């Protein structure tokens, strides 16, 4: 027995005072109507309806049960209706986890326009470079910058690819020289972003050769903005996403080194729990992220795929 169907059948029969009319309203045959009532009564162990060939009437148990069934079915209908505005337009609270540097350098200035576009939506944006468990911690979506994504049941939408650049301040190079090869980095002061997937080893490629350099950093820090500040101060060299220092490179505040070598890239993803029944608030924020990171410029370009990380 489908209990919801049986309850709906019972309500219609009782309110219409007719098995036949209930069948017409619900699109069910007379035998199906009778079967649902009989199975409901058997489950409850009580007769709900007195019926003869000429008339029907609710028993005392039927009248009591009908009162509760009506309240329950009406409450379910109200619950369905309550979701209609949520399904139709972005609304409610959207909880997002995002890396601090990416947000401050590429995203935060555009957020007021996003919220103005969706007045019924509230954004709770948590800036943290750590890798959050979005399901356990209750986030709707997370932005992740990674060379690779771990296997999971999450859905990942690629937003942008950020190439890295080895760079330092002109004052540092004037005092310590410019490395001519990755092997010479061992003689230089290095600044390490400790949350990076390649924090301990920097990789360089050229003409099929791969050189991996163990990083012996004098300064390790969990913020790429702090790495940039240390670079600007002439403290040493670092391998950092180019978008974070693009303006510094253009103005000469920082200078690139080993540009004839390819370095790592960080792929930026939007990650969310499921591709089925994506809430409008999540879809709206995904569209916003694609709009922001799909712009031309360093680390931009159109998003490439929408796929589960499984």
């Amino acid at each position: 027995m489908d209990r919801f169907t049986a309850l709906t059948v019972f309500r219609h029969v009782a309110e219409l005072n007719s098995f036949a009319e209930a069948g017409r309203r619900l699109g069910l045959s007379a035998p199906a109507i009778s079967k649902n009532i009989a199975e409901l009564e058997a489950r409850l162990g009580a007769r709900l309806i007195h019926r003869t060939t000429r008339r029907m009437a609710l028993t005392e148990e039927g009248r009591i049960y009908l009162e509760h069934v009506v309240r329950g079915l009406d409450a379910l209908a109200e619950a369905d209706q309550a979701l209609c505005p949520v399904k139709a337009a972005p609304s409610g609270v959207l909880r997002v986890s995002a890396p601090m540097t990416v947000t401050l350098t590429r995203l935060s200035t555009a957020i007021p326009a996003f919220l103005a576009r969706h007045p019924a939506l509230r954004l709770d944006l948590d800036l943290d470079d750590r890798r959050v468990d979005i399901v356990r911690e209750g986030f709707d979506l997370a932005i992740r910058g990674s060379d690779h994504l771990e296997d999971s049941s999450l859905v990942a939408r690629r937003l942008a690819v950020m190439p890295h650049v080895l760079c330092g301040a002109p004052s540092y190079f004037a005092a310590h020289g410019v490395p001519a090869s990755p092997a010479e980095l061992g003689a230089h002061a290095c600044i390490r972003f400790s949350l990076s997937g390649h924090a301990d080893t920097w990789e360089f490629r050229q003409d099929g050769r791969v050189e991996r350099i163990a990083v012996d950093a004098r300064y390790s820090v969990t913020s790429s903005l702090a790495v940039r500040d240390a670079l600007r101060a002439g403290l040493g060299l670092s391998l950092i996403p180019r978008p974070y220092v693009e303006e510094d490179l253009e103005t000469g505040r920082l200078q690139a080194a080993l540009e004839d070598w390819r370095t790592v890239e960080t792929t930026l993803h939007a990650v969310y729990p499921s591709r089925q029944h994506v809430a409008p608030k999540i879809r709206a924020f995904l569209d916003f992220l694609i709009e922001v990171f799909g712009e031309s410029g360093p680390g931009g370009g159109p998003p490439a795929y929408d796929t589960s990380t499984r």
Side-chain angles (χ1 to χ4, degrees):
M1 179 186 67
D2 181 328
R3 191 174 183 189
F4 179 80
T5 300
L7 293 176
T8 303
V9 167
F10 171 63
R11 178 179 183 175
H12 276 70
V13 168
E15 291 180 343
L16 297 170
N17 200 36
S18 168
F19 277 63
E21 185 60 27
R24 281 191 290 272
R25 295 282 184 92
L26 295 173
L28 296 173
S29 66
I33 294 292
S34 296
K35 181 181 179 182
N36 273 277
I37 296 297
E39 290 183 351
L40 183 60
E41 289 177 328
R43 182 184 183 281
L44 295 171
R47 180 170 290 276
L48 301 174
I49 300 173
H50 287 305
R51 44 201 181 273
T52 67
T53 55
R54 293 187 177 183
R55 62 184 298 273
M56 57 150 287
L58 290 177
T59 64
E60 181 180 0
E61 293 88 346
R63 288 192 297 272
I64 295 171
Y65 193 58
L66 177 64
E67 181 182 343
H68 291 279
V69 166
V70 168
R71 285 205 301 265
L73 292 176
D74 286 349
L76 288 174
E78 289 175 9
D80 289 345
Q81 291 171 2
L83 282 182
C84 290
V86 177
K87 292 189 293 184
S91 62
V93 178
L94 176 68
R95 294 198 68 224
V96 176
S97 172
M100 183 173 294
T101 305
V102 169
T103 302
L104 295 180
T105 58
R106 293 294 303 276
L107 194 61
S108 60
T109 56
I111 284 175
F114 168 74
L115 291 175
R117 194 184 307 168
H118 303 290
L121 186 64
R122 298 173 62 187
L123 178 62
D124 182 356
L125 181 59
D126 183 74
L127 298 186
D128 197 331
D129 288 326
R130 69 186 176 89
R131 185 177 295 268
V132 301
D133 183 329
I134 65 175
V135 174
R136 184 175 61 82
E137 298 181 47
F139 288 102
D140 296 297
L141 179 146
I143 300 172
R144 288 183 178 170
S146 176
D147 304 332
H148 65 280
L149 286 172
E150 75 281 7
D151 290 341
S152 72
S153 59
L154 302 177
V155 179
R157 182 65 158 90
R158 192 167 76 180
L159 300 173
V161 177
M162 299 191 296
H164 286 55
V165 59
L166 182 74
C167 60
S171 60
Y172 176 84
F173 288 129
H176 304 281
V178 179
S181 70
E184 293 184 11
L185 290 176
H188 286 266
C190 294
I191 305 164
R192 176 178 173 269
F193 174 53
S194 53
L195 296 181
S196 168
H198 50 265
D200 299 320
T201 304
W202 293 349
E203 184 176 288
F204 298 85
R205 297 175 179 268
Q206 184 187 74
D207 300 329
R209 287 190 300 147
V210 179
E211 291 201 23
R212 296 181 177 87
I213 307 301
V215 180
D216 182 16
R218 181 184 175 195
Y219 178 34
S220 296
V221 63
T222 59
S223 166
S224 292
L225 291 179
V227 171
R228 187 179 65 182
D229 288 342
L231 288 170
R232 290 172 174 175
L235 186 62
L237 305 179
S238 189
L239 194 61
I240 187 171
R242 183 177 283 272
Y244 300 166
V245 293
E246 191 67 34
E247 185 177 343
D248 294 272
L249 294 171
E250 290 174 355
T251 61
R253 191 172 187 177
L254 296 176
Q255 294 179 359
L258 302 181
E259 288 198 280
D260 53 340
W261 290 79
R262 288 183 57 200
T263 61
V264 295
E265 295 177 337
T266 293
T267 304
L268 201 64
H269 295 88
V271 181
Y272 52 102
S274 174
R275 68 172 68 256
Q276 293 184 333
H277 308 300
V278 178
K281 62 182 180 179
I282 297 176
R283 176 56 59 192
F285 198 71
L286 282 170
D287 291 342
F288 164 67
L289 292 175
I290 292 167
E291 179 183 324
V292 170
F293 291 103
E295 297 171 352
S296 60
Y305 62 83
D306 184 358
T307 182
S308 169
T309 60
R310 283 179 288 188

